[in-house]
Amino acid sequence: MAKEKTLRLESVMVTAEKRKADLQDIPSSISAFSETDIEDARIQTIQDLSRLTPNMYIANWGIRGTSYVFIRGIGAVNNEPAVGYYVDGVGYMDSRAFDSNLYDIERIEVLRGPQGTLYGRNSLAGVINIITQKPDNETRMGVDLTAGNYNNYQGVARLALPLVQDRLFLGMAGNFESRDGYTENDYLDQDVDNHQAFNGRVRMRFTPTENLDITANIDGEKIDDGAFPLGRLEALRKRPRHIAYDYEGSYKRDGWGSSLNVAYGTPWFKLTSITAFRKFDDSADNDQDFTILPLITADETIDDEQFTQELRFASPNSNSDLKWLAGFFGFNKKKKHNLHLGFAPGVAIPWLPLDRVTDSDLTTSGMAFFGQATYTLYENLDLTFGLRYDYEKADIDNVMTMKSNGYSLGGDKMSESENSDAFLPKLQIAYHWTTGFMSYAGVSRGYRSGGFNTAYMDASDIHFDPEYSWNYEIGFKSSWLDNRLKVNTSLFFIDLEDQQVVQLLPSADTVIRNAGKSRSMGMEMDLIAILCKGLTLDAGFGYTDAEYREYKDSLAGTDYSGNTTIMAPEYTYNLGLEYRKDLSKTWGFFARTELIGIGPFYWNDANNLKQDAYQLVNLNLGLERDNIDLILWSRNLFDEEYEAVAFEFPGSDPVGQSGDPLTFGVTLRMRF
């Protein structure tokens, strides 16, 4: 996916291991996307990213706060995330903030497998690492304007310039998106899942000396979306994107964040400090029974803020046989959560309505010490050892009250505190057989923190324990044909203990429990090749076999041992062909087509809600010149029908959401 000027693939430099290195020299399974890749493949959301990344699947429940990421069959729905999400080195600790528009991006890296040593808690499935554009001495200005079906209008503006040559730089970027919904509520005669978003980012960079780089960032977003486009699954399969329920809902999210990144180099070490604060307010109200009957409604608000500090020392960039890194990480996170469930008369109690309100205040703080070192023997053999110690403390105050017609029916109070810690080692060996072929093997440990259930059936459900994983992996990275072909592949086996699973309750709540044990094994491959002048092939394939080894569901009275874990497609693949040709001295032609495949998988632990395999085709056609591009694009070109999500509450019919339909439009990209 790169614009090639010669018949050789360019090196891809990444910071996946918190130091700059060639992707082909890192003994881990990583997919990386450059600025050109992102523009050519039209990667605008993490859903777009997942379709071009082997063994990565994202289920989106209609709103941006419910985009759940799974890698290698491991993920999370309502509990702590299993995948780390980082923007310019700052971790987003709540998965409800993951799904935001991607714009003005320099590079995206997806690390598969546990990244506990360098990234710590809640990265036992992998990490998404996003690096935005950095201003420098070059003045860059640009505008992207998009119009498409479903009244889709988008705009991106970017500016980067030096305020003082070699010393002070300014970068600004903004994004706007608006479109009508894909799904129609036939009962209310209106679209459901309309989208609207504003995003902005400002960056000031100061380099008073060659060895000191100080960058201050501030960003914000405002999202105003429609309600959950969910309906009875059987009806959706007969008539996709048509639902019927009686209560109009909405989703809104306002968020902002700031960070200060300081990098200081000396002859002996490089010091990096990342100080960050992030906050978002999230609100969703919706029909909870998804029928035309006034049975259950839900109104949920979340006020979340986090403070993080990372300080690390690393060996200077050199050809030394020893490369090392050591650091400290600390955080404090506060989350206020209010959930109001309204039950119509007869649903919860006979002849009377019921309002149940749950208020919780959760405070989590923690710290970690970590280090990693790689030593090169005999010029070709790399030995890597890493270790991290994570500690955290969580306190919750939870109040649940019940009322009917203004009269109190009692409630419950809970104040709990829990501590947890984990040692997260990593051991790898890599051998460079030639300059173009490296093989590796490694073992690493991952950890996801425990937590509290604010809705629970009995006292045993108040708290759930941390989850741990061991990842065993072998692979190779290679380049062939005078660097016209790169092939990277890996085999993995992941063993999980005390796995956290989300179970649906008859009250339309969820509860998180530790299932027992599971395992996931499989492989993935990334390939990129220059077939001939102007024609590039990129491909990826992932296979996952994930199942519960021990899992007894006391709520359903069922043993799920041996069942396939949820949202773990048996395989994923992506195949892209990209062609560029000069039409004249000033104009060029661009074409890119993609075939994306998702293998069969299950939506639930019982394995009776299945998503069959499906394929999507995307197409981009464009004209390009130095300062302007005109691109015609389409997504899901053949309007393939599939489910974006499906689930069932005990005692009710399965509910689902149709996948995105055929979309198309035109983008005008201008550079000044």
Side-chain angles (χ1 to χ4, degrees):
M1 293 190 299
K3 293 181 180 178
E4 77 283 9
K5 295 183 179 179
T6 65
L7 294 183
R8 298 189 66 185
L9 294 166
E10 296 179 357
S11 297
V12 178
M13 305 303 292
V14 297
T15 53
E17 295 199 331
K18 301 195 175 185
R19 66 165 63 245
K20 198 170 185 178
D22 191 320
L23 175 65
Q24 296 300 105
D25 291 333
I26 299 178
S28 297
S29 184
I30 303 171
S31 294
F33 303 86
S34 68
E35 176 188 6
T36 302
D37 300 335
I38 294 166
E39 290 182 349
D40 290 349
R42 197 173 167 78
I43 298 175
Q44 298 183 321
T45 67
I46 56 174
Q47 282 84 15
D48 298 331
L49 179 67
S50 70
R51 291 167 180 167
L52 299 177
T53 305
N55 279 336
M56 181 178 178
Y57 178 77
I58 296 179
N60 174 261
W61 297 30
I63 63 173
R64 301 182 211 215
T66 53
S67 293
Y68 301 122
V69 186
F70 285 72
I71 296 178
R72 293 179 172 179
I74 301 170
V77 177
N78 279 337
N79 47 331
E80 292 285 325
V83 176
Y85 184 86
Y86 288 77
V87 179
D88 294 328
V90 178
Y92 288 35
M93 304 179 76
D94 195 308
S95 62
R96 291 184 77 95
F98 284 8
D99 192 356
S100 188
N101 290 355
L102 301 176
Y103 62 100
D104 199 39
I105 305 297
E106 175 188 320
R107 187 176 69 255
I108 302 176
E109 306 162 1
V110 180
L111 293 68
R112 291 179 287 263
Q115 306 297 323
T117 300
L118 293 181
Y119 291 91
R121 64 193 295 273
N122 301 345
S123 62
L124 76 170
V127 165
I128 300 172
N129 196 21
I130 297 172
I131 298 91
T132 63
Q133 293 286 359
K134 182 182 293 186
D136 52 28
N137 278 326
E138 181 183 355
T139 297
R140 301 184 299 272
M141 293 183 287
V143 174
D144 298 353
L145 300 174
T146 296
N149 61 334
Y150 293 94
N151 288 320
N152 182 9
Y153 299 102
Q154 300 178 46
V156 177
R158 61 186 72 87
L159 170 66
L161 74 164
L163 300 179
V164 179
Q165 196 76 9
D166 296 328
R167 290 292 182 264
L168 186 63
F169 316 96
L170 173 66
M172 297 186 294
N175 171 277
F176 165 76
E177 179 191 9
S178 177
R179 71 158 173 82
D180 294 340
Y182 298 147
T183 302
E184 183 176 353
N185 186 331
D186 295 329
Y187 185 77
L188 297 178
D189 192 24
Q190 63 185 19
D191 293 337
V192 178
D193 51 338
N194 55 288
H195 281 295
Q196 189 174 84
F198 298 87
N199 300 80
R201 183 186 305 119
V202 178
R203 167 178 288 180
M204 188 73 72
R205 183 183 177 205
F206 181 45
T207 56
T209 70
E210 292 183 356
N211 297 322
L212 181 59
D213 192 329
I214 303 172
T215 304
N217 299 281
I218 186 167
D219 66 273
E221 70 173 355
K222 186 176 182 64
I223 292 174
D224 190 350
D225 287 349
F228 293 88
L230 297 167
R232 297 301 172 185
L233 187 60
E234 183 178 355
L236 276 174
R237 288 175 172 173
K238 295 177 180 177
R239 196 177 181 213
R241 293 181 288 279
H242 283 269
I243 61 173
Y245 53 71
D246 64 297
Y247 181 76
E248 179 183 2
S250 66
Y251 173 74
K252 296 182 179 181
R253 186 175 79 208
D254 296 329
W256 71 277
S258 62
S259 64
L260 181 66
N261 188 314
V262 179
Y264 179 64
T266 75
W268 308 279
F269 61 85
K270 181 179 180 180
L271 169 66
T272 301
S273 171
I274 303 176
T275 308
F277 175 82
R278 299 209 61 82
K279 176 179 173 59
F280 73 86
D281 297 319
D282 188 288
S283 64
D285 65 305
N286 62 280
D287 193 307
Q288 194 72 358
D289 57 271
F290 309 110
T291 70
I292 61 173
L293 300 175
L295 300 178
I296 309 174
T297 59
D299 187 351
E300 182 180 33
T301 60
I302 294 175
D303 183 358
D304 185 283
E305 60 183 50
Q306 66 175 62
F307 173 81
T308 57
Q309 172 65 58
E310 181 166 327
L311 183 67
R312 61 178 186 264
F313 297 85
S315 57
N317 296 326
S318 68
N319 295 322
S320 171
D321 290 337
L322 177 63
K323 298 179 177 62
W324 56 269
L325 180 150
F328 165 83
F329 176 77
F331 74 92
N332 181 267
K333 185 175 186 295
K334 296 181 179 180
K335 182 176 183 178
K336 294 183 178 180
H337 184 200
N338 175 276
L339 176 62
H340 177 191
L341 290 176
F343 300 90
V347 176
I349 55 178
W351 305 295
L352 292 174
L354 176 67
D355 291 296
R356 201 199 71 192
V357 179
T358 304
D359 280 296
S360 64
D361 288 338
L362 176 64
T363 299
T364 309
S365 57
M367 63 178 182
F369 298 93
F370 60 92
Q372 181 170 301
T374 299
Y375 189 72
T376 301
L377 294 170
Y378 315 114
E379 296 184 354
N380 296 324
L381 179 63
D382 294 335
L383 301 177
T384 299
F385 176 74
L387 181 64
R388 185 186 188 101
Y389 174 72
D390 256 11
Y391 169 83
E392 68 179 84
K393 182 177 185 294
D395 299 282
I396 190 172
D397 291 315
N398 185 73
V399 178
M400 187 270 289
T401 58
M402 294 184 292
K403 294 182 179 180
S404 180
N405 289 330
Y407 292 95
S408 175
L409 299 180
D412 189 22
K413 292 184 178 181
M414 174 184 69
S415 293
E416 295 285 336
S417 180
E418 291 288 341
N419 301 339
S420 63
D421 63 353
F423 285 97
L424 305 173
K426 174 182 178 179
L427 179 64
Q428 285 181 326
I429 182 172
Y431 192 79
H432 299 262
W433 300 89
T434 67
T435 56
F437 190 91
M438 181 261 286
S439 61
Y440 65 90
V443 58
S444 57
R445 194 185 194 208
Y447 155 71
R448 172 161 45 183
S449 57
F452 305 95
N453 288 306
T454 57
Y456 45 87
M457 301 290 286
D458 54 57
S460 64
D461 283 329
I462 291 177
H463 176 259
F464 55 92
D465 293 327
E467 175 182 347
Y468 303 93
S469 70
W470 283 100
N471 179 76
Y472 307 90
E473 185 170 329
I474 60 174
F476 68 82
K477 294 190 172 183
S478 63
S479 60
W480 309 87
L481 304 176
D482 195 24
N483 211 29
R484 289 179 57 179
L485 169 66
K486 291 183 180 180
V487 181
N488 299 336
T489 190
S490 64
L491 302 174
F492 64 87
F493 182 92
I494 303 175
D495 188 18
L496 288 95
E497 294 186 355
D498 295 321
Q499 185 175 9
Q500 298 170 12
V501 297
V502 176
Q503 298 178 345
L504 303 177
L505 304 179
S507 60
D509 292 308
T510 60
V511 64
I512 300 169
R513 290 170 170 161
N514 296 98
K517 298 180 179 181
S518 71
R519 65 107 178 105
S520 175
M521 60 183 181
M523 62 85 64
E524 53 237 354
M525 180 192 71
D526 285 295
L527 178 151
I528 182 170
I530 299 177
L531 302 180
C532 61
K533 184 178 180 180
L535 183 61
T536 304
L537 166 72
D538 59 88
F541 178 80
Y543 170 78
T544 299
D545 179 7
E547 69 173 33
Y548 295 111
R549 299 173 64 184
E550 296 179 14
Y551 179 10
K552 293 183 179 180
D553 184 352
S554 58
L555 178 65
T558 306
D559 189 345
Y560 294 136
S561 302
N563 282 16
T564 300
T565 62
I566 65 170
M567 299 187 215
E570 181 180 345
Y571 59 82
T572 63
Y573 64 83
N574 58 278
L575 179 65
L577 276 174
E578 193 168 295
Y579 180 67
R580 277 187 163 87
K581 180 178 177 59
D582 291 335
L583 299 178
S584 67
K585 292 183 178 180
T586 56
W587 286 98
F589 172 74
F590 162 75
R592 177 178 174 83
T593 183
E594 298 171 348
L595 175 64
I596 297 163
I598 307 294
F601 64 92
Y602 295 100
W603 293 110
N604 63 345
D605 297 326
N607 287 179
N608 57 14
L609 282 180
K610 184 179 181 181
Q611 170 63 59
D612 294 328
Y614 62 91
Q615 299 79 37
L616 304 174
V617 176
N618 300 331
L619 179 64
N620 291 350
L621 299 172
L623 296 173
E624 302 176 321
R625 61 181 298 168
D626 289 342
N627 59 351
I628 189 169
D629 303 332
L630 183 65
I631 302 169
L632 302 175
W633 55 267
S634 68
R635 294 290 174 268
N636 192 5
L637 182 62
F638 299 108
D639 204 18
E640 178 81 358
E641 295 178 0
Y642 62 99
E643 276 83 55
V645 75
F647 62 93
E648 62 180 340
F649 291 110
S652 65
D653 295 330
V655 173
Q657 173 187 326
S658 300
D660 292 352
L662 162 66
T663 57
F664 55 86
V666 59
T667 295
L668 177 65
R669 180 175 297 126
M670 296 175 286
R671 295 172 290 274
F672 307 103

